[in-house]
Amino acid sequence: MKKGYKQLLAEANAVVKTVPVEEAKALRGQDDVQFVDIRDPRELERDGIIEGAMSAPRGMLEFWVDPESPYYKPALGDGKKTLVLYCASAWRSALAAKTLTDMGMTNVSHLEGGFTAWKNAGGAVVKKEK
């Protein structure tokens, strides 16, 4: 293996903006910010979701942000809002934010410590309906 996950994470975190939980709590609900939960739908059903977040499973993210994709979602790809990606522990979100940055997006960041850190800091969480 030429690169393991640790090197990929280090490379991603070197270029992607990481938003500390307390700063993220202040951003939640702002009109120009969209939280994006990239966890598996089963994780959302089991653990909840940050209030106001949009669910975009990691496997679909690149397709949902690309205007040329048949799966394009303007709420993610139109560049009008700062996207704050998160997963359970900030590994998938770091890699996903790096990929979106590589695609040319400049409005992308990710949540330090992920959903786990958010929840532990008392961030607003709601139950995700099926």
Side-chain angles (χ1 to χ4, degrees):
M1 185 172 304
K2 291 185 179 185
K3 283 187 188 182
Y5 80 94
K6 290 179 183 178
Q7 184 174 350
L8 291 173
L9 284 172
E11 290 172 2
N13 282 314
V15 297
V16 172
K17 180 180 179 190
T18 301
V19 180
V21 173
E22 289 306 316
E23 182 181 332
K25 286 167 72 175
L27 292 173
R28 194 190 65 74
Q30 291 187 12
D31 292 339
D32 60 345
V33 176
Q34 178 62 59
F35 280 74
V36 182
D37 193 319
I38 65 167
R39 295 176 298 149
D40 181 271
R42 291 173 298 236
E43 291 176 275
L44 279 64
E45 290 172 14
R46 181 186 66 221
D47 302 325
I49 187 170
I50 292 176
E51 188 174 12
M54 178 179 185
S55 173
R58 175 68 189 99
M60 292 302 295
L61 193 59
E62 292 86 348
F63 303 103
W64 286 12
V65 302
D66 186 344
E68 294 183 20
S69 166
Y71 301 104
Y72 175 64
K73 305 245 185 232
L76 291 175
D78 65 10
K80 293 181 181 177
K81 294 186 177 189
T82 297
L83 304 180
V84 180
L85 306 182
Y86 70 93
C87 62
S89 60
W91 291 7
R92 289 173 284 178
S93 61
L95 297 177
K98 169 79 165 63
T99 299
L100 297 187
T101 300
D102 289 347
M103 291 175 73
M105 296 183 75
T106 59
N107 61 325
V108 180
S109 60
H110 84 115
L111 177 62
E112 183 176 45
F115 184 74
T116 302
W118 176 270
K119 206 169 169 179
N120 289 341
V125 174
V126 295
K127 183 171 175 53
K128 177 70 175 176
E129 300 300 323
K130 290 185 181 182

